[in-house]
Amino acid sequence: MNPSQPLPDPTRLTEAIAGHHWLARLPAPLQARLAHALTVSTARAGDQIDAAEFVRHLCWLVSGRVELLDAHGEVLLTLNAGDWFSHAHASTQGAAAARAAQDSSWTDIGAADLEEIRSELPVLAHLFPPETTPSGQTGRSGDTTDPALNLMTTPVRTLIKRAPITLPPQTSIREAAEVMREKRVSSVLIVEQDHLFGLITDRDLRNRVIAAGLDTGRSIMDIATLAPMSVDVQNPAFDALMLMARHNIHHVPVLDGQRVAGMITATDLTEQHSTSAVYLAGEIYKQTAVEGLQASAAKIKRLQQSLAGAQASAYSTGHIITAITDAITCRLLQLAESRLGPPPVDYVWVAAGSQARNEQTAKSDQDNCIVLDDRYDEAAHGAYFRELAQFVCDGLDACGYVYCPGEMMAMTDTWRQPRRRWAEYFARWTGQPDPKSLMLTCVFFDLRAVYGKSELLEDLRADVLQRTKGNSIFLAYMVGNALTHTPPLGMFKGISTIRSGENKGKIDLKHTGIVPIVDLARVYALAGGDKAVNTHDRISSAAEGGAISEQSSRDLRDALEFLAFTRIQHQARQIRAGQPPDNFMNPDDVSNFERTQLKDAFQVVQSLQNVLGQRFQSGRF
């Protein structure tokens, strides 16, 4: 590896800064000063790099590709040109070394330079990794960081505080309680021959033993949660957070392959903004009536406000807010089944639209449907599912998820059908695409199972993707439909605001900002047969499949994040002012820099729409 040294020719770094998506927005004098002041290190392909040296402050990989390695030499993470990385992230990833996968160059941006960049571009604070200064503090006093972003970059293995406390299945309940007291733990794992069979918690001892008067000499298998949900040591901690929030659980076993590596709890994830979703979800599952759920749902706006105040990314905010919607939906379904009795046939409650994509904010209506087992018989089973759907949709409306204006809800008979009928729907929509079919495809291609037998939806989606992949006629219509939603740019590439009505002088961040990106990503997924539902994930997959270049994928993901982040911040300002959140923002409410970034984001979308339009005209899919 070549030693760190000032570049002999600063113009090389000047060009790199000018070509970077964000640094290019710095004032020209600051760009020039950085180019002269920053030091650059280089390495040849195959060279080993000391990870501590590689990420002293905030590292910007200028060119090439670098792999972060664990203590065993296994690749933990691959960094590409343009990526940022910090010492805090290296620590949480468990990186012990690094290796140049290609000829590479990088520069460390120290605390003083980082402070100047953040001062010039405060809107970019949420893009920089947290804890990037040598002391482990943020670069400016009073800055907040994104706790959910920390969870997405922190592997689950780093949260394991002790070796797993395990017991064999034949252990008695009394013996297990004694071990839990002695070890001062709230749960133990049931393991035999290195295989996880179940777990018990102090709550199980309280509810299933003491309250039920159960003989403590019986086996712990009689009170255990069998085949519990788990996460892998390599997964981000954010996955554990979502698992807990969606399923109202506070203990999750961690596996290394099939071997039990440990246990993490909601407390291990910290009781900060992001994990408040776990506790709010727990509160939701305790409710026994719609009125209680209404009170819990009222806290969603405060949760979004907290996440916005912490500069949480739009990606993580969408997942967290959606997890609460899922919890409310599941609890309503549980209450409905409690009233109506067990369902006569299998079914799956399916979220559509933004809930399916994990992209919800505090301003959302409801889009949902039910896929029923093919044993469904209208005469015998219709009344049950009609009443169930009505109860849940009414409950969602009471909790602030207003009825879909187009009635695309499970309470509508058309959208509560057996699997075979859904297959007929999609066959007709993809085989004879008219305007209504295209609209319905846009709604119902974005589907995710929330409650019930998920296999019913998985089989259906597999069939649909088989029909759409390579279906040039259908895709051509989908492209034409996608291009009807265009960014608000005028003839000379300036931002064009709404000209009349109550929102005059504003822009619609949802329908002219985010929706065009959602439409692009959906076309990429349909054309490539991609199973991803989240828009960010679809764009990433599109690059992997060759539908768009890696650079275009990054630009589009950046545009999506910036527009969605701006929308969340706009809604947070409205919530603080006591106003109902909406999607209409006056460009004058943000800084000149942010308006420039809005225009840049819109231009990225417009450019890729043009590319897709040309591909559509030439019939290349």
Side-chain angles (χ1 to χ4, degrees):
M1 180 185 68
N2 295 334
S4 179
Q5 58 184 345
L7 273 179
D9 180 5
T11 59
R12 290 170 53 192
L13 194 53
T14 301
E15 293 170 358
I17 293 173
H20 190 272
H21 188 67
W22 298 109
L23 295 183
R25 298 303 166 194
L26 291 169
L30 179 53
Q31 289 188 39
R33 195 190 66 73
L34 287 173
H36 281 80
L38 294 178
T39 59
V40 173
S41 299
T42 61
R44 295 289 186 184
D47 282 355
Q48 294 292 312
I49 309 168
D50 179 62
E53 176 184 343
F54 185 51
V55 288
R56 283 190 299 272
H57 301 109
L58 177 66
C59 169
W60 168 33
L61 186 60
V62 179
S63 64
R65 180 178 299 168
V66 171
E67 297 169 336
L68 296 183
L69 311 174
D70 64 15
H72 304 289
E74 297 294 325
V75 177
L76 292 171
L77 186 69
T78 298
L79 304 178
N80 296 298
D83 285 345
W84 302 89
F85 209 73
S86 72
H87 176 73
H89 283 177
S91 300
T92 57
Q93 292 287 345
R99 178 177 61 216
Q102 299 175 352
D103 290 352
S104 303
S105 65
W106 63 90
T107 180
D108 289 323
I109 300 180
D113 292 323
L114 178 59
E115 169 67 16
E116 191 165 2
I117 292 173
R118 290 164 66 94
S119 297
E120 288 288 345
L121 306 179
V123 72
L124 297 187
H126 70 285
L127 295 176
F128 287 129
E131 300 182 358
T132 55
T133 65
S135 64
Q137 301 299 316
T138 53
R140 183 172 58 215
S141 175
D143 280 347
T144 52
T145 59
D146 178 358
L149 184 59
N150 288 338
L151 292 178
M152 286 195 290
T153 58
T154 301
V156 166
R157 67 171 174 274
T158 65
L159 301 180
I160 300 175
K161 298 179 179 178
R162 62 192 303 170
I165 308 299
T166 65
L167 295 171
Q170 60 270 24
T171 304
S172 72
I173 295 172
R174 183 183 300 106
E175 291 171 328
E178 291 172 350
V179 169
M180 292 170 69
R181 180 185 61 187
E182 178 186 346
K183 300 293 185 181
R184 296 183 178 182
V185 294
S186 60
S187 61
V188 293
L189 298 168
I190 303 172
V191 176
E192 186 151 69
Q193 296 182 350
D194 290 331
H195 287 285
L196 176 65
F197 282 83
L199 68 85
I200 62 170
T201 68
D202 50 6
R203 184 177 298 182
D204 294 328
L205 294 176
R206 181 178 68 245
N207 296 342
R208 299 179 180 179
V209 180
I210 297 174
L214 196 67
D215 179 7
T216 58
R218 295 175 64 168
S219 164
I220 52 178
M221 294 295 283
D222 293 338
I223 64 167
T225 298
L226 303 179
M229 296 179 179
S230 62
V231 294
D232 189 84
V233 291
Q234 302 288 351
N235 284 18
F238 190 76
D239 288 355
L241 165 65
M242 290 296 95
L243 190 68
M244 292 178 182
R246 287 202 170 102
H247 299 283
N248 189 31
I249 55 179
H250 290 71
H251 299 79
V252 176
V254 180
L255 301 182
D256 187 353
Q258 295 297 317
R259 183 182 66 83
V260 176
M263 172 86 81
I264 60 172
T265 68
T267 303
D268 294 328
L269 296 172
T270 78
E271 299 181 19
Q272 299 300 319
H273 297 291
S274 58
T275 53
S276 65
V278 176
Y279 300 98
L280 180 53
E283 175 185 305
I284 286 167
Y285 281 102
K286 294 175 183 176
Q287 304 308 316
T288 58
V290 172
E291 290 74 20
L293 290 173
Q294 283 180 287
S296 297
K299 299 178 181 179
I300 294 175
K301 290 181 180 179
R302 293 203 297 273
L303 174 60
Q304 177 169 316
Q305 199 170 359
S306 296
L307 289 167
Q311 298 286 294
S313 64
Y315 182 88
S316 58
T317 298
H319 278 75
I320 291 170
I321 298 299
T322 303
I324 301 305
T325 306
D326 288 354
I328 292 173
T329 304
C330 290
R331 187 55 183 156
L332 284 167
L333 284 158
Q334 291 170 351
L335 293 176
E337 289 184 2
S338 178
R339 291 178 49 176
L340 301 173
V345 296
D346 289 331
Y347 76 98
V348 59
W349 184 278
V350 179
S354 61
Q355 184 182 358
R357 297 191 303 270
N358 285 296
E359 295 168 5
Q360 283 198 308
T361 68
K363 170 67 175 177
S364 297
D365 57 8
Q366 55 175 295
D367 294 297
N368 47 60
C369 61
I370 291 179
V371 179
L372 296 152
D373 188 277
D374 280 338
R375 292 176 296 141
Y376 171 80
D377 177 78
E378 172 63 26
H381 311 138
Y384 177 95
F385 287 105
R386 190 175 302 111
E387 190 169 345
L388 178 140
Q390 189 72 52
F391 177 86
V392 175
C393 291
D394 287 347
L396 288 171
D397 180 71
C399 289
Y401 303 95
V402 298
Y403 297 121
C404 172
E407 299 186 346
M408 295 176 190
M409 299 172 289
M411 62 186 283
T412 304
D413 292 347
T414 306
W415 312 127
R416 189 180 63 254
Q417 295 292 332
R419 185 199 175 284
R420 62 177 181 274
R421 179 59 61 83
W422 278 103
E424 292 171 1
Y425 285 165
F426 280 108
R428 183 169 70 250
W429 297 341
T430 56
Q432 299 177 336
D434 53 42
K436 183 177 181 181
S437 294
L438 294 171
M439 182 268 294
L440 293 171
T441 302
C442 288
V443 173
F444 290 112
F445 181 68
D446 298 351
L447 299 176
R448 180 172 57 82
V450 172
Y451 182 92
K453 190 173 182 181
S454 59
E455 292 86 351
L456 291 169
L457 178 63
E458 291 168 5
D459 292 345
L460 180 65
R461 279 183 56 81
D463 290 348
V464 173
L465 288 170
Q466 190 64 35
R467 290 180 179 276
T468 62
K469 186 176 182 179
N471 185 338
S472 58
I473 296 177
F474 168 72
L475 291 171
Y477 278 100
M478 283 297 294
V479 170
N481 183 72
L483 298 183
T484 61
H485 299 114
T486 57
L489 291 174
M491 183 179 299
F492 300 104
K493 303 299 182 182
I495 294 178
S496 177
T497 59
I498 297 172
R499 295 183 178 181
S500 60
E502 61 177 323
N503 294 308
K504 182 180 179 180
K506 300 178 180 180
I507 55 174
D508 186 340
L509 289 169
K510 178 180 178 180
H511 290 100
T512 63
I514 296 170
V515 167
I517 302 177
V518 171
D519 288 344
L520 281 170
R522 184 184 297 111
V523 171
Y524 297 147
L526 286 164
D530 179 24
K531 295 180 180 179
V533 180
N534 177 264
T535 301
H536 181 282
D537 297 341
R538 282 173 169 174
I539 297 169
S540 296
S541 297
E544 294 171 5
I548 56 176
S549 68
E550 181 60 39
Q551 185 61 55
S552 293
S553 175
R554 289 185 186 181
D555 287 347
L556 194 55
R557 293 197 305 270
D558 283 349
L560 173 63
E561 173 62 31
F562 183 79
L563 290 171
F565 180 83
T566 301
R567 177 194 184 198
I568 290 168
Q569 293 292 327
H570 163 69
Q571 292 181 351
R573 289 193 294 269
Q574 291 180 310
I575 293 170
R576 283 195 299 270
Q579 303 168 354
D582 63 25
N583 301 304
F584 299 96
M585 186 188 77
N586 189 327
D588 292 338
D589 290 343
V590 297
S591 68
N592 288 333
F593 172 77
E594 289 172 292
R595 283 198 294 275
T596 299
Q597 294 307 114
L598 279 171
K599 185 172 66 173
D600 287 351
F602 292 146
Q603 288 176 350
V604 166
V605 178
Q606 186 180 72
S607 175
L608 286 171
Q609 283 187 326
N610 292 337
V611 170
L612 193 65
Q614 293 169 5
R615 188 178 300 176
F616 148 66
Q617 291 173 351
S618 63
R620 293 183 294 110
F621 287 103

